[in-house]
Short mmCIF file of all heavy atoms in Angstrom, two decimals:
data_model
loop_
_atom_site.label_atom_id
_atom_site.label_comp_id
_atom_site.label_asym_id
_atom_site.label_seq_id
_atom_site.Cartn_x
_atom_site.Cartn_y
_atom_site.Cartn_z
N LYS A 68 114.90 83.00 127.85
CA LYS A 68 115.82 82.56 126.80
C LYS A 68 116.91 83.60 126.60
O LYS A 68 116.66 84.81 126.68
CB LYS A 68 115.07 82.32 125.49
CG LYS A 68 113.94 81.29 125.63
CD LYS A 68 113.19 81.11 124.34
CE LYS A 68 111.99 80.17 124.53
NZ LYS A 68 112.37 78.82 124.97
N THR A 69 118.12 83.14 126.34
CA THR A 69 119.22 84.04 126.04
C THR A 69 119.72 83.79 124.63
O THR A 69 119.58 82.69 124.09
CB THR A 69 120.38 83.85 127.03
OG1 THR A 69 120.85 82.49 126.95
CG2 THR A 69 119.95 84.14 128.45
N PHE A 70 120.27 84.82 124.03
CA PHE A 70 120.84 84.73 122.70
C PHE A 70 121.96 85.76 122.60
O PHE A 70 122.04 86.67 123.45
CB PHE A 70 119.76 84.98 121.63
CG PHE A 70 118.93 86.22 121.87
CD1 PHE A 70 119.33 87.46 121.40
CD2 PHE A 70 117.73 86.14 122.59
CE1 PHE A 70 118.58 88.61 121.63
CE2 PHE A 70 116.97 87.29 122.82
CZ PHE A 70 117.40 88.52 122.34
N PRO A 71 122.85 85.67 121.64
CA PRO A 71 123.96 86.61 121.55
C PRO A 71 123.49 88.06 121.51
O PRO A 71 122.76 88.47 120.62
CB PRO A 71 124.64 86.22 120.23
CG PRO A 71 124.30 84.78 120.06
CD PRO A 71 122.90 84.63 120.59
N GLY A 72 123.85 88.82 122.52
CA GLY A 72 123.52 90.24 122.56
C GLY A 72 122.23 90.59 123.27
O GLY A 72 121.90 91.77 123.39
N GLY A 73 121.51 89.61 123.77
CA GLY A 73 120.26 89.93 124.43
C GLY A 73 119.63 88.75 125.14
O GLY A 73 120.21 87.67 125.22
N HIS A 74 118.43 88.97 125.63
CA HIS A 74 117.68 87.90 126.30
C HIS A 74 116.20 88.16 126.14
O HIS A 74 115.76 89.28 125.83
CB HIS A 74 118.05 87.84 127.79
CG HIS A 74 117.82 89.12 128.55
ND1 HIS A 74 116.58 89.51 129.02
CD2 HIS A 74 118.67 90.12 128.88
CE1 HIS A 74 116.68 90.67 129.63
NE2 HIS A 74 117.94 91.08 129.56
N LEU A 75 115.42 87.13 126.32
CA LEU A 75 113.97 87.19 126.17
C LEU A 75 113.31 86.63 127.42
O LEU A 75 113.63 85.53 127.87
CB LEU A 75 113.53 86.37 124.95
CG LEU A 75 112.03 86.10 124.78
CD1 LEU A 75 111.30 87.41 124.49
CD2 LEU A 75 111.79 85.10 123.66
N THR A 76 112.40 87.40 127.99
CA THR A 76 111.62 86.97 129.15
C THR A 76 110.15 86.95 128.77
O THR A 76 109.64 87.89 128.17
CB THR A 76 111.84 87.91 130.35
OG1 THR A 76 113.22 87.94 130.68
CG2 THR A 76 111.03 87.45 131.55
N ILE A 77 109.47 85.87 129.12
CA ILE A 77 108.03 85.76 128.89
C ILE A 77 107.36 85.68 130.26
O ILE A 77 107.78 84.92 131.13
CB ILE A 77 107.70 84.49 128.08
CG1 ILE A 77 108.46 84.49 126.75
CG2 ILE A 77 106.21 84.39 127.81
CD1 ILE A 77 108.36 83.19 125.97
N THR A 78 106.33 86.49 130.44
CA THR A 78 105.64 86.49 131.73
C THR A 78 104.15 86.71 131.52
O THR A 78 103.69 86.87 130.39
CB THR A 78 106.22 87.59 132.65
OG1 THR A 78 105.70 87.43 133.98
CG2 THR A 78 105.87 88.98 132.14
N GLY A 79 103.41 86.71 132.62
CA GLY A 79 101.98 86.94 132.58
C GLY A 79 101.64 88.28 133.19
O GLY A 79 102.32 88.76 134.10
N ALA A 80 100.57 88.91 132.70
CA ALA A 80 100.15 90.19 133.25
C ALA A 80 99.67 90.04 134.69
O ALA A 80 99.51 91.04 135.39
CB ALA A 80 99.03 90.78 132.39
N ASN A 81 99.43 88.80 135.11
CA ASN A 81 99.01 88.53 136.48
C ASN A 81 100.19 88.28 137.41
O ASN A 81 100.01 87.87 138.55
CB ASN A 81 98.05 87.34 136.53
CG ASN A 81 98.68 86.07 135.97
OD1 ASN A 81 99.72 86.11 135.31
ND2 ASN A 81 98.05 84.94 136.25
N SER A 82 101.42 88.51 136.93
CA SER A 82 102.62 88.23 137.72
C SER A 82 103.38 89.52 138.00
O SER A 82 104.15 89.99 137.16
CB SER A 82 103.53 87.25 136.97
OG SER A 82 104.78 87.10 137.63
N PRO A 83 103.19 90.13 139.17
CA PRO A 83 103.90 91.38 139.50
C PRO A 83 105.41 91.23 139.41
O PRO A 83 106.10 92.13 138.93
CB PRO A 83 103.45 91.67 140.93
CG PRO A 83 102.17 90.94 141.10
CD PRO A 83 102.30 89.70 140.26
N ALA A 84 105.94 90.09 139.84
CA ALA A 84 107.39 89.89 139.83
C ALA A 84 107.93 89.92 138.41
O ALA A 84 109.01 90.46 138.15
CB ALA A 84 107.73 88.56 140.50
N GLY A 85 107.19 89.34 137.46
CA GLY A 85 107.66 89.31 136.09
C GLY A 85 107.63 90.65 135.41
O GLY A 85 108.30 90.86 134.39
N LEU A 86 106.87 91.60 135.98
CA LEU A 86 106.74 92.92 135.37
C LEU A 86 107.61 93.98 136.04
O LEU A 86 107.62 95.12 135.63
CB LEU A 86 105.27 93.38 135.45
CG LEU A 86 104.27 92.53 134.68
CD1 LEU A 86 102.85 92.96 135.02
CD2 LEU A 86 104.52 92.64 133.18
N ALA A 87 108.35 93.59 137.06
CA ALA A 87 109.10 94.58 137.84
C ALA A 87 110.54 94.15 138.07
O ALA A 87 111.05 94.24 139.17
CB ALA A 87 108.40 94.82 139.17
N SER A 88 111.19 93.69 137.03
CA SER A 88 112.57 93.22 137.16
C SER A 88 113.52 94.15 136.43
O SER A 88 113.38 95.36 136.48
CB SER A 88 112.67 91.79 136.63
OG SER A 88 113.95 91.25 136.89
N ARG A 89 114.47 93.60 135.65
CA ARG A 89 115.52 94.41 135.02
C ARG A 89 115.03 95.22 133.83
O ARG A 89 113.96 94.96 133.29
CB ARG A 89 116.67 93.49 134.61
CG ARG A 89 116.23 92.27 133.84
CD ARG A 89 117.41 91.34 133.64
NE ARG A 89 116.98 90.05 133.12
CZ ARG A 89 117.81 89.09 132.74
NH1 ARG A 89 119.11 89.29 132.83
NH2 ARG A 89 117.35 87.95 132.29
N PRO A 90 115.85 96.21 133.40
CA PRO A 90 115.46 97.07 132.28
C PRO A 90 115.26 96.28 130.98
O PRO A 90 115.97 95.32 130.71
CB PRO A 90 116.64 98.03 132.16
CG PRO A 90 117.27 98.04 133.51
CD PRO A 90 117.10 96.65 134.04
N ILE A 91 114.31 96.74 130.19
CA ILE A 91 113.95 96.08 128.94
C ILE A 91 113.87 97.14 127.84
O ILE A 91 113.34 98.22 128.05
CB ILE A 91 112.58 95.37 129.08
CG1 ILE A 91 112.67 94.21 130.09
CG2 ILE A 91 112.10 94.86 127.73
CD1 ILE A 91 113.53 93.05 129.67
N ARG A 92 114.37 96.79 126.66
CA ARG A 92 114.26 97.73 125.53
C ARG A 92 113.00 97.49 124.71
O ARG A 92 112.36 98.43 124.25
CB ARG A 92 115.49 97.59 124.63
CG ARG A 92 115.41 98.53 123.42
CD ARG A 92 116.47 98.25 122.40
NE ARG A 92 116.14 98.94 121.14
CZ ARG A 92 116.65 98.64 119.96
NH1 ARG A 92 117.55 97.67 119.86
NH2 ARG A 92 116.29 99.30 118.88
N VAL A 93 112.65 96.23 124.50
CA VAL A 93 111.51 95.88 123.64
C VAL A 93 110.44 95.19 124.48
O VAL A 93 110.70 94.13 125.06
CB VAL A 93 111.94 94.96 122.48
CG1 VAL A 93 110.74 94.64 121.59
CG2 VAL A 93 113.06 95.60 121.66
N VAL A 94 109.26 95.79 124.56
CA VAL A 94 108.15 95.21 125.32
C VAL A 94 107.02 94.87 124.36
O VAL A 94 106.53 95.75 123.64
CB VAL A 94 107.65 96.17 126.41
CG1 VAL A 94 106.38 95.62 127.06
CG2 VAL A 94 108.72 96.39 127.47
N LEU A 95 106.61 93.62 124.35
CA LEU A 95 105.51 93.15 123.52
C LEU A 95 104.39 92.69 124.44
O LEU A 95 104.56 91.72 125.19
CB LEU A 95 105.97 91.99 122.63
CG LEU A 95 107.20 92.25 121.75
CD1 LEU A 95 107.66 90.97 121.08
CD2 LEU A 95 106.88 93.30 120.71
N GLN A 96 103.26 93.38 124.40
CA GLN A 96 102.13 93.02 125.26
C GLN A 96 100.99 92.50 124.37
O GLN A 96 100.40 93.26 123.60
CB GLN A 96 101.71 94.25 126.07
CG GLN A 96 102.87 94.79 126.89
CD GLN A 96 102.45 95.89 127.83
OE1 GLN A 96 101.80 95.64 128.84
NE2 GLN A 96 102.83 97.12 127.54
N ASP A 97 100.72 91.23 124.50
CA ASP A 97 99.80 90.54 123.60
C ASP A 97 98.45 90.32 124.27
O ASP A 97 98.38 89.94 125.44
CB ASP A 97 100.42 89.19 123.19
CG ASP A 97 99.68 88.53 122.04
OD1 ASP A 97 98.96 89.23 121.32
OD2 ASP A 97 99.82 87.31 121.87
N GLU A 98 97.37 90.54 123.52
CA GLU A 98 95.99 90.39 124.01
C GLU A 98 95.76 91.24 125.27
O GLU A 98 95.29 90.75 126.31
CB GLU A 98 95.67 88.92 124.27
CG GLU A 98 95.60 88.07 123.02
CD GLU A 98 94.49 88.50 122.05
OE1 GLU A 98 93.61 89.28 122.45
OE2 GLU A 98 94.51 88.05 120.89
N VAL A 99 96.07 92.54 125.16
CA VAL A 99 95.98 93.42 126.33
C VAL A 99 94.56 93.58 126.85
O VAL A 99 94.37 93.93 128.02
CB VAL A 99 96.59 94.81 126.03
CG1 VAL A 99 98.08 94.69 125.77
CG2 VAL A 99 95.89 95.47 124.85
#
Side-chain angles (χ1 to χ4, degrees):
K68 302 179 185 299
T69 59
F70 49 87
H74 57 81
L75 169 67
T76 301
I77 303 171
T78 190
N81 59 345
S82 172
L86 297 171
S88 187
R89 49 188 170 174
I91 294 293
R92 179 190 166 198
V93 181
V94 172
L95 306 172
Q96 303 187 73
D97 192 20
E98 292 297 346
V99 295

